[in-house]
Each structure stands twice: as C-alpha cells, then as structure tokens.
C-alpha cells in the first residue's frame, strides 16, 4: 500500500525555517512573510510499475503529497514532439484549461477540497486564474480570482464561464497579487497561491516525471523553462532532485531559465552573481505577460536552482517572441506569446545535446502578438 501525506503534514518557511500545519489556512510564514516549502519526501518509482495506471499526472502517486484523483480533469500526459534534430517541445497547452498551470491548480484545489474553506481566492495574469476557476468548479468550491487590468479578454471570459467571481485590479500583476494577499487574511479563506503554496510546485514537477517516463527512464541534457514566479522551474528542480536521489537518472539536466528582456530581474541578478535581485524590476510592457514579474517571492530559490544545475538565464526581445510565435504556428502549433518564449530563446542557437522546451499556453487564449 502506498503511503500518502496526510493533512497533519507541515509547511516550512523557505527563508527562516518556521513551520506550520498544512491544516491551517496560513498562506505564508507569519514571521518573515516568506513562501512555504513542504516537508515531504517522494518515494521511488519504476517504469514497470507505471504500466496500466491512470493516464494523468496522478499516475506518479509515490511522488505526490496528496492521493487522487478526486477533482481531476485528466490533466497531464501531454505529447512530446520534435522541432529540430536536438530540440523537442512538450505540448502543455493541450491541458484541460489550455495551460501548464493545470498541473499545480489541481493540487491546490484538491488540498482546498479537503480543508473545506468558506472560499478560495487566487491571483493571476490569466492562466493560473483560469486553471483555479476550473478546478474549483470541479471541486465544488467558491472561488474569486484577482487579475490585473489588461488581462486577455478571452481569459477573463474563461474565468467567468467556470463560475468564479472576477476582481479586476487597477495596475499591474503585482497590484493584483497585493489585493489578493490582503483578502487572504479574512477568516475561512484559502489562498490558492501558485507562488506561495508549495503544493503547486509538487504538481508542476510532474512535467519532468512525464519526460522521464516518455524518454524511457532518462532526461534530456537541458531543460529550458520560462520564468516569472518560477513555478515550473522550481517544480522541475524538485523532480530532478527526487529522481537523482532514488538513482533513477545518472545526472541532473541543466536548467536554462528564460525571461522577457523587458522584465528580467532574475536574469540581471544571475549575471551580477547576486543571490537575489537588489530591487523589483520596472514593470515594462511585454508580450510575455505571464512571466513579467518584477519581484518574484521565490527569487533566491530560483537563482540557486539554476546555478546548482549548471544552467543559465537567457532573455528574449519582443521581436523574437513575435517571430517565434509565427514560426511555431507555421509548424502547426498555435501558442500564446508567453508560451513561445523558450522557443524564441533557443531556435537560433540551441544548447548542445538534447533539449526540451515547454509550450505552456494555447494561442487561442490570447491571439497573435501584435506587430
């Protein structure tokens, strides 16, 4: 019988080490306001044991901190397709809500379902909000999503269609996050933060478990990942560490993080050799709205994960994003501007060896980037 973490488990502050029960609705460290990590040790997997299991991310049960599926929509197991001789793309825009955020959202919704709060709130530039709205609908949970003004109309329509309340906040992405955090302190509120709650990261790490399975028990030399708040990158770092710990991969791949040149606080800190950005970046407009995060709360963790993997940071211009979106569309793949950032970064000069890039969100959610 598999052993699953119960709700008597504990959060641990990534900054100061303070602990709190998962059963509480405390969304961040009460002392330093840092994001939570999770005291959880994944069990080993084998390719043979996966045969015949459910065709979703819940097939990796030993590696997940919650048993499932309960509020599942069949998320995960997205295709891996070749773009060049050395670069392949994982089509995470084929998730139920058309973005990779479903991987983490289903974990947060399942956790909330068990905690039975009065309401769930989330903040998002769009994709995380649509994912939380959908999975809360599936779980029968009252949901409110805070988004910044300027969020894609198609994403707002999707959030409303799932029955969530929508609060449009004047200002940028950080303004929406501040408004949600203020509301998170109200009694009976579960803050489904894809940034502060580590269950989200344990959902996104299944991206790498799927690669490991699809590649026959190995990983590519390089994983190229878009980074704003870093939820996919940190999930990838979790998975590669777990697979290495259990001797399931001979070495860990390099993590290459991609940011839009317009808003690149982590890339700048990396190049300066700093542990974290000295200050939030200016909130400049960019087509890659989903990774335009001026001050990521997990900045230290992201920079450390990239350095420990032997990876690096790359930045992409607005013109490169437009060109990459059109190039993928010409190959039959219609992806939103944020979702093409990694292909924009590697299409001219791919890293050596095998490389995988994620295509994270569907073009149908935003349309073509304006020229």
């Amino acid at each position: 019988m598999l052993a699953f973490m119960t709700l008597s488990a504990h959060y641990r502050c990534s900054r100061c080490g303070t602990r709190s029960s998962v059963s509480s609705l405390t969304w961040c460290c009460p002392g330093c306001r840092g994001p939570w990590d999770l005291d959880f040790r994944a069990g080993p997997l084998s390719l043979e044991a996966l045969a015949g299991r459910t065709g979703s991310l819940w097939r990796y049960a030993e590696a997940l901190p919650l048993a499932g599926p309960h509020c599942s929509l069949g998320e995960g197991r997205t295709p891996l397709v070749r773009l060049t001789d050395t670069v392949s793309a994982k089509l995470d825009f084929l998730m139920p809500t058309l973005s990779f955020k479903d991987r983490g959202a289903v974990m947060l919704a399942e956790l909330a379902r068990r905690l039975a709060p009065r309401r769930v709130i989330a903040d998002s530039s769009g994709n995380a909000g649509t994912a939380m709205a959908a999975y809360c609908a599936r779980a029968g949970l009252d949901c409110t999503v805070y988004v910044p003004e300027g969020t894609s109309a198609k994403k707002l329509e999707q959030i409303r269609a799932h029955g969530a309340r929508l609060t449009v906040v004047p200002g940028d992405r950080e303004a929406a996050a501040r408004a949600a955090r203020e509301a998170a302190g109200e009694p009976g509120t579960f803050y489904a933060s894809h940034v502060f709650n580590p269950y989200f990261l344990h959902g996104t790490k299944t991206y790498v478990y799927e690669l490991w399975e699809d590649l026959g028990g190995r990983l590519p030399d390089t994983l190229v990942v878009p980074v704003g708040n870093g939820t996919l990158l940190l999930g990838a770092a979790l998975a590669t560490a777990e697979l290495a710990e259990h001797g399931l991969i001979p070495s860990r791949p390099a993590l290459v993080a991609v940011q839009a040149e317009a808003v690149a606080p982590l890339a700048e800190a990396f190049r300066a050799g700093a542990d974290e950005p000295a200050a939030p970046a200016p909130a400049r407009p960019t087509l890659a709205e989903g990774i335009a995060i001026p001050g990521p709360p997990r900045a230290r963790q992201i920079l450390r994960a990239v350095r420990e993997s032997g990876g690096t940071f790359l930045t992409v211009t607005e013109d490169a994003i437009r060109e990459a979106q059109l190039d993928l569309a010409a190959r039959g793949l219609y992806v939103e501007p944020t979702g093409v950032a990694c292909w924009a970064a590697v299409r001219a000069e791919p890293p050596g060896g095998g490389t995988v890039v994620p295509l994270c969100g569907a073009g149908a959610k935003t349309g073509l980037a304006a020229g």
Side-chain angles (χ1 to χ4, degrees):
M1 180 178 294
L2 301 175
F4 297 104
M5 176 168 287
T6 68
L7 295 186
S8 61
H10 285 83
Y11 293 129
R12 175 174 41 83
C13 178
S14 63
R15 295 177 184 170
C16 70
T18 295
R19 299 174 81 237
S20 175
S21 171
V22 170
S23 297
S24 76
L25 295 177
T26 305
W27 62 268
C28 71
C29 175
C32 72
R33 308 288 284 182
W36 292 124
D37 287 336
L38 189 64
D39 285 331
F40 171 70
R41 186 174 184 272
L45 282 163
S46 70
L47 292 176
E48 295 76 16
L50 295 174
R53 289 193 181 181
T54 183
S56 72
L57 63 80
W58 295 97
R59 66 196 283 108
Y60 310 110
E62 295 92 335
L64 297 175
L66 289 172
H70 294 285
C71 60
S72 174
L73 291 167
E75 56 289 329
R77 303 297 293 139
T78 54
L80 184 66
V81 301
R82 187 171 293 279
L83 295 179
T84 71
D85 289 343
T86 59
V87 181
S88 295
K90 188 158 174 60
L91 310 190
D92 259 27
F93 68 89
L94 298 180
M95 290 284 198
T97 76
L98 307 182
S99 91
F100 88 96
K101 295 289 176 64
D102 290 7
R103 294 185 183 276
V106 69
M107 299 295 290
L108 292 184
E110 180 57 30
L111 176 61
R113 188 186 70 83
R114 300 179 190 200
L115 294 174
R118 181 174 58 84
R119 67 169 183 159
V120 174
I121 64 170
D123 60 274
S124 170
S125 60
N127 282 336
T130 60
M132 283 311 307
Y135 284 95
C136 283
R138 181 73 166 174
L141 296 165
D142 182 279
C143 180
T144 300
V145 181
Y146 292 76
V147 299
E149 59 185 357
T151 298
S152 164
K154 294 179 181 179
K155 293 178 181 179
L156 300 182
E157 178 184 334
Q158 187 179 0
I159 291 169
R160 291 190 182 100
H162 291 307
R165 295 180 182 86
L166 191 61
T167 300
V168 179
V169 179
D172 60 11
R173 176 68 181 83
E174 289 301 297
R178 286 192 298 270
R181 290 167 196 166
E182 289 174 7
E186 297 178 13
T189 299
F190 177 82
Y191 181 24
S193 171
H194 59 290
V195 181
F196 281 81
N197 193 300
Y199 278 85
F200 196 93
L201 307 182
H202 283 272
T204 61
K205 76 181 181 184
T206 59
Y207 171 88
V208 169
Y209 276 94
E210 290 177 18
L211 289 176
W212 172 78
E213 182 181 3
D214 289 343
L215 295 174
R218 63 181 182 87
L219 288 176
D221 302 303
T222 307
L223 293 173
V224 184
V225 185
V227 173
N229 277 309
T231 56
L232 185 54
L233 184 136
L234 291 173
L238 269 174
T240 57
E242 291 168 356
L243 289 166
E245 178 186 359
H246 293 299
L248 296 172
I249 51 174
S251 61
R252 297 167 65 174
L255 299 176
V256 174
V258 177
Q259 295 206 286
E261 191 175 272
V263 185
L266 295 166
E268 292 168 10
F270 182 86
R271 292 164 186 162
D275 292 333
E276 61 184 341
R284 301 185 183 97
T286 174
L287 295 168
E289 61 181 9
I291 53 174
I293 308 298
R298 293 187 184 268
R300 276 182 171 267
Q301 290 177 291
I302 296 165
L303 288 161
R304 184 170 63 247
V306 172
R307 290 188 173 115
E308 288 179 351
S309 77
T312 190
F313 272 81
L314 302 175
T315 58
V316 291
T317 65
E318 302 303 292
D319 284 344
I321 292 170
R322 290 188 190 93
E323 291 167 8
Q325 188 185 33
L326 291 173
D327 180 75
L328 285 173
R331 298 167 185 259
L333 301 167
Y334 189 32
V335 185
E336 69 176 353
T338 298
V340 307
C342 291
W343 178 234
V346 306
R347 62 189 289 251
E349 296 183 32
T355 299
V356 172
V357 300
L359 303 183
C360 295
K365 303 185 86 168
T366 57
L368 283 171

